[in-house]
Amino acid sequence: MELKELHYQGFSSRWKSFLIDNIIVGLFLTAVSFINLSFHRDFSVYLISNIIALSYKPLMETFFGATLGKMLINLKVVDYDGNSINAAQAWLRHIFRISQFLLSVFFYYAAFHDPILLDTEGYADFQTEFLDAYAGVGYISNALFFILLAEVLFMNMDPMHRSLHDRIAKTVVVKAE
């Protein structure tokens, strides 16, 4: 068996790919959310668009070993031996974002059925009233922010540049061959 030489990637290159991916997913989600909250206010539209956005990274990493952002920066997600990751590993890498969604979805369900919120005018008013009425979403976002800080610390202290989600999934991000 031939051992692969892995070139582990740290914060800088991973941050660039993260930004690219979040622009791609963010533009989609913002456009759908804006239209939905401005005109329709339909929970199913919220749910489907968020599941699509949430699935982007795990599906791309399962089938291609990288997201579009990682591909543009020439990165790849592999297991500790340098082999392609499986679907379970890809989904585990995104456990914190999935958890945030699962914890928040109940607040959004309530909001989309709240007559006071449904009577607000436009996107901005809905968002403002939503955050006032459902402060728990803010607490969930704050917790995710602190997890993100821990992720960066772990990544910078680890010789293989593994963050918490990499450790959970037993993966590393490397320079693509």
Side-chain angles (χ1 to χ4, degrees):
M1 181 172 112
E2 183 182 324
L3 290 176
K4 300 176 185 177
E5 184 177 349
L6 302 176
H7 299 282
Y8 306 115
Q9 296 301 295
F11 179 78
S12 178
S13 57
R14 291 176 68 167
W15 177 251
K16 290 173 191 169
S17 71
F18 174 82
L19 288 176
I20 293 167
D21 287 325
N22 281 311
I23 289 169
I24 293 167
V25 173
L27 288 174
F28 162 76
L29 205 50
T30 300
V32 172
S33 181
F34 181 80
I35 293 166
N36 188 34
L37 293 180
S38 296
F39 306 109
H40 308 295
R41 306 237 168 119
D42 186 341
F43 177 72
S44 61
V45 172
Y46 161 81
L47 189 62
I48 292 167
S49 62
N50 275 273
I51 289 171
I52 290 169
L54 191 65
S55 301
Y56 162 73
K57 288 181 181 183
L59 291 176
M60 289 292 293
E61 290 173 357
T62 297
F63 293 108
F64 304 106
T67 60
L68 293 174
K70 286 181 181 72
M71 289 177 193
L72 289 171
I73 306 296
N74 202 30
L75 304 179
K76 187 172 183 174
V77 181
V78 296
D79 68 14
Y80 291 165
D81 295 323
N83 300 315
S84 297
I85 64 171
N86 60 40
Q89 288 173 300
W91 285 96
L92 276 173
R93 291 190 84 248
H94 302 286
I95 191 69
F96 299 122
R97 178 64 184 100
I98 293 167
S99 299
Q100 178 192 24
F101 172 75
L102 292 175
L103 291 170
S104 299
V105 74
F106 300 108
F107 293 107
Y108 283 95
Y109 179 82
F112 279 101
H113 293 86
D114 184 332
I116 295 170
L117 283 175
L118 294 177
D119 282 342
T120 58
E121 293 290 326
Y123 177 84
D125 287 343
F126 184 93
Q127 287 288 54
T128 302
E129 293 295 324
F130 170 72
L131 292 174
D132 287 344
Y134 300 95
V137 171
Y139 298 129
I140 294 167
S141 292
N142 289 341
L144 192 67
F145 172 76
F146 287 108
I147 291 170
L148 182 62
L149 286 178
E151 293 250 83
V152 171
L153 288 173
F154 270 79
M155 186 188 315
N156 286 321
M157 293 188 307
D158 186 89
M160 294 166 49
H161 299 290
R162 294 173 299 164
S163 59
L164 291 173
H165 66 266
D166 287 316
R167 290 168 181 258
I168 291 168
K170 295 183 172 53
T171 62
V172 289
V173 177
V174 298
K175 198 73 167 164
E177 296 175 2

